[in-house]
Amino acid sequence: MIFRKLLPLIVFAFFVFSSTAQKHYQRFESIDVQHYKFEIHLNDTTNRIEGTTIVLVKFLKPAENVVFDLVNSDGQNKGMSVESVKSENKSLSFTHINNRLNIHLTKSTQANETLEFEIKYAGIPADGLVISENKYGDRTFFGDNWPDRAQYWLPTVDHPSDKATLEFLVYAPDHYEVVSNGYLVEKKQLKKDVKFTHWKEDVPLSTKLMVIGIADFVIGNQTKYKDIPVSSWIFPQSKKQGFENYKYGTDALAYFSDLIGPYSYEKLAHVQSKTRYGGMENASCIFYHENTGISNRSQESLFAHEVAHQWFGNSVTEQNWHHVWLSEGFATYLTHIYNQRFYGEEVFRERLKTDREWVIRYSKQNFAPIIDTTVTDYIRLLNANSYQKASWFLHMLREDLGDELFFNGLRKYYTDFQNSTALTDDFQEIMETVSAKDLTLFFKQWLRQPGHPVLDMNWEQEKENLKIRIQQAQADFLFQFPLEIEFVYENGTSEIRTLQIDKLELSPSFITKNKVKEVVLDPRVALLFEMRR
């Protein structure tokens, strides 16, 4: 996901989890959703939707009720009202309060028992399903669920840890085209100018990725990567520029498939949309902000970022929102690696420098670690820590391990957790296994403590003796890291030495044969740090 207003976003810290969040976690110990079947009826006269959702639930322990997330009425004609709940053709009693649909079972379930629930509901979504007009004034419908906005229009367990397969059965006016996750099962014309479209996804997804997109699309750029259909879905008024801007449909798909491992999904659709983000990586149908279809700037890096999410964020999903760096940091760094491969080292290093500047600026607004468990307003996790600093973490890990071990670790992490969920500790364990190194300090200081090294440096040379003084000027934490130092000589030559920094202040001496003109810290752009002077 690309967040369009990243820098001005300031993360507010909270020191306790809400009771609602605690109950959320308790629920995951009790149930595991296996499959959703969403039937949605849409129209052009009102924003009211009618839905029937069938949910297949596996109970992990005995239970007398089951709870789904579904936003109820806000008192201003928005929100969902539940009409009925059934299981095994029998009506069940329920309560729908505080955005929780609590279904009371007629008898206690047993561990490993599965039950299917049919939930009929209707209402005007306050969020989640964005019903609006695009930039051309045409009516559109777009799911936009991240971080926990699926519950505004779908009864779900709206948490990234609970993955399930799904299908959407959409009844909409017949002038629309409908795109969704997975593969197209059926599309047919019904009476009264209504079209029925059925999409099905056989790979389990988190609810943040379960969407539909409905508009007067023109479909083009249709091709295949191996057996995977790839296409672009563009508003008709953007057709010419849009298909040109979306021409990168298979480039990142092919590159990341070779670099990391097989693509998990049945197709890949690139969709011009009304998402609030620059891009939203919905599995197999990526939604891009509508302005991407008319921009004069290349969209290649945006495409690379969102396609990288199909591996990390979608297939391997962070188990809770506080570990979103496993999604956004990975996609950010993989985009840099994509550009390194196709546009060279200079572009790669310049983008790392730009990211480093973002991290430094952001740290002055909000001094917090990448994994910040105090945040309960999850959208505020979309910040420079989760994107740029997390990308820098991966870059420094790559520098520490070397390319072979680093990419072997990425591949193993993907293989071991494909179509599942993971936490930071899982990634650390994989990288330690591959490298046979203890990475505890590395992960702790860069991910779990705030800030970065702030360095003071001065030097003097007397004949062949070069003395350097390096001091960590940040007041909060000691960082330990290798620091590359380049000696630039007056005769035009240079050399790089590496110094292990493990104290707040070091004053090493070096023997040199030439007169030093300049001392440069981190010449290869390998370290996240701030130079004070």
Side-chain angles (χ1 to χ4, degrees):
M1 176 194 322
I2 293 291
F3 194 58
R4 289 189 295 142
K5 295 182 179 180
L6 190 61
L7 270 182
L9 188 65
I10 300 176
V11 176
F12 295 96
F14 297 87
F15 295 97
V16 294
F17 287 106
S18 68
S19 59
T20 300
Q22 292 171 354
K23 292 176 182 177
H24 221 148
Y25 285 105
Q26 293 171 3
R27 190 177 359 159
F28 308 141
E29 299 174 356
S30 302
I31 65 171
D32 180 14
V33 176
Q34 305 293 296
H35 185 76
Y36 294 104
K37 188 174 185 179
F38 301 116
E39 180 182 308
I40 304 290
H41 293 256
L42 307 170
N43 64 81
D44 274 338
T45 57
T46 74
N47 289 348
R48 176 183 169 87
I49 69 171
E50 296 179 358
T52 300
T53 296
I54 297 174
V55 192
L56 179 63
V57 176
K58 179 180 180 180
F59 289 86
L60 305 179
K61 57 175 64 175
E64 296 181 351
N65 68 330
V66 60
V67 179
F68 298 107
D69 302 304
L70 185 64
V71 173
N72 46 270
S73 175
D74 61 1
Q76 298 179 349
N77 298 320
K78 289 187 177 181
M80 297 297 119
S81 297
V82 177
E83 299 171 2
S84 66
V85 178
K86 292 182 179 180
S87 181
E88 298 178 334
N89 293 320
K90 296 179 181 178
S91 295
L92 299 178
S93 62
F94 62 89
T95 57
H96 189 198
I97 303 171
N98 296 327
N99 305 327
R100 298 289 185 268
L101 174 60
N102 192 335
I103 301 171
H104 309 289
L105 307 179
T106 56
K107 62 179 180 179
S108 179
T109 64
Q110 302 300 311
N112 296 319
E113 183 178 352
T114 59
L115 281 178
E116 198 170 72
F117 298 91
E118 180 191 82
I119 304 164
K120 287 185 177 292
Y121 64 100
I124 299 174
D127 200 351
L129 182 65
V130 180
I131 304 174
S132 63
E133 293 182 350
N134 65 15
K135 66 187 301 95
Y136 303 106
D138 292 338
R139 185 172 170 83
T140 62
F141 308 75
F142 286 100
D144 205 33
N145 292 348
W146 201 95
D148 55 352
R149 293 156 57 221
Q151 61 190 289
Y152 280 93
W153 62 295
L154 301 171
T156 58
V157 175
D158 199 8
H159 192 278
S161 68
D162 196 345
K163 286 190 163 186
T165 55
L166 69 140
E167 48 197 311
F168 274 102
L169 293 82
V170 179
Y171 296 80
D174 61 359
H175 61 92
Y176 292 119
E177 294 291 344
V178 180
V179 66
S180 183
N181 313 102
Y183 57 93
L184 183 64
V185 177
E186 185 180 13
K187 181 169 68 172
K188 64 181 179 181
Q189 181 72 37
L190 303 178
K191 296 180 180 179
K192 298 181 180 179
D193 300 324
V194 173
K195 185 191 297 180
F196 169 73
T197 309
H198 181 188
W199 289 91
K200 188 176 183 182
E201 177 56 83
D202 291 334
V203 179
L205 303 180
S206 296
T207 51
K208 66 173 183 171
L209 306 168
M210 300 178 180
V211 296
I212 52 176
I214 301 170
D216 294 324
F217 290 117
V218 178
I219 306 169
N221 288 346
Q222 292 177 292
T223 184
K224 283 190 175 184
Y225 169 70
K226 297 184 177 179
D227 293 327
I228 301 165
V230 180
S231 58
S232 300
W233 299 57
I234 302 293
F235 301 147
Q237 299 90 336
S238 305
K239 180 179 178 180
K240 183 177 180 180
Q241 185 68 45
F243 286 141
E244 173 64 21
N245 287 2
Y246 283 30
K247 66 185 177 183
Y248 309 104
T250 61
D251 294 357
L253 175 62
Y255 178 66
F256 294 134
S257 294
D258 291 339
L259 181 69
I260 301 165
Y263 180 73
S264 287
Y265 307 110
E266 300 91 343
K267 68 145 188 337
L268 180 57
H270 300 284
V271 183
Q272 188 179 15
S273 79
K274 289 290 292 182
T275 179
R276 66 171 60 173
Y277 309 107
M280 179 61 213
E281 63 270 13
N282 311 302
S284 80
C285 60
I286 300 169
F287 288 178
Y288 301 90
H289 189 269
E290 62 180 335
N291 288 342
T292 61
I294 60 171
S295 174
N296 291 323
R297 298 178 58 185
S298 170
Q299 303 301 306
E300 187 170 9
S301 288
L302 173 62
F303 268 61
H305 181 102
E306 303 306 334
V307 172
H309 272 308
Q310 305 302 306
W311 281 262
F312 299 111
N314 294 6
S315 183
V316 183
T317 303
E318 64 279 9
Q319 202 169 103
N320 69 54
W321 292 285
H322 297 116
H323 295 253
V324 71
W325 82 272
L326 292 168
S327 173
E328 297 302 345
F330 275 59
T332 301
Y333 190 55
L334 284 169
T335 302
H336 293 332
I337 291 172
Y338 175 92
N339 284 312
Q340 181 184 28
R341 165 63 180 83
F342 293 104
Y343 298 102
E345 289 294 323
E346 184 176 352
V347 169
F348 176 63
R349 304 291 171 182
E350 286 302 314
R351 296 197 177 195
L352 286 170
K353 289 179 183 178
T354 299
D355 281 2
R356 186 162 59 190
E357 292 171 0
W358 277 58
V359 174
I360 292 169
R361 288 197 299 269
Y362 183 75
S363 70
K364 299 182 191 308
Q365 300 173 6
N366 185 61
F367 192 68
I370 289 175
I371 302 172
D372 186 357
T373 57
T374 66
V375 176
T376 55
D377 184 5
Y378 301 125
I379 200 166
R380 297 191 177 276
L381 291 168
L382 301 184
N383 56 58
N385 277 349
S386 298
Y387 288 76
Q388 285 83 5
K389 187 176 181 182
S391 170
W392 256 102
F393 168 85
L394 291 170
H395 181 58
M396 291 186 293
L397 182 62
R398 178 184 176 188
E399 289 286 331
D400 184 70
L401 301 183
D403 278 10
E404 182 177 1
L405 291 178
F406 176 77
F407 288 111
N408 284 346
L410 281 193
R411 294 180 193 108
K412 181 171 174 55
Y413 175 58
Y414 177 69
T415 300
D416 287 4
F417 291 94
Q418 186 177 9
N419 301 327
S420 184
T421 63
L423 294 170
T424 300
D425 286 348
D426 297 313
F427 179 59
Q428 179 179 337
E429 183 178 355
I430 292 290
M431 301 311 285
E432 288 182 334
T433 299
V434 169
S435 66
K437 295 183 68 172
D438 182 354
L439 297 171
T440 302
L441 175 61
F442 190 93
F443 273 68
K444 178 183 178 181
Q445 71 177 7
W446 295 112
L447 293 175
R448 299 184 185 276
Q449 75 181 31
H452 51 266
V454 180
L455 302 182
D456 281 341
M457 186 271 289
N458 53 57
W459 61 276
E460 60 181 359
Q461 185 179 22
E462 293 184 6
K463 297 182 179 180
E464 294 183 348
N465 185 44
L466 176 68
K467 187 174 182 179
I468 300 176
R469 179 179 175 271
I470 296 174
Q471 182 180 20
Q472 293 192 49
Q474 77 282 350
D476 302 273
F477 300 98
L478 167 68
F479 285 85
Q480 299 183 46
F481 52 89
L483 175 64
E484 292 184 340
I485 306 172
E486 183 179 23
F487 304 150
V488 181
Y489 299 115
E490 289 186 348
N491 64 7
T493 63
S494 66
E495 64 174 314
I496 295 176
R497 306 277 186 95
T498 300
L499 183 64
Q500 184 62 39
I501 305 295
D502 56 7
K503 297 177 182 178
L504 286 175
E505 184 174 337
L506 290 173
S507 298
S509 295
F510 300 89
I511 302 300
T512 62
K513 295 182 179 181
N514 299 299
K515 181 68 174 177
V516 175
K517 180 176 68 174
E518 184 181 9
V519 175
V520 179
L521 300 188
D522 189 39
R524 295 191 311 109
V525 195
L527 177 68
L528 174 61
F529 78 107
E530 179 180 353
M531 195 72 187
R532 193 161 74 171
R533 68 168 186 259

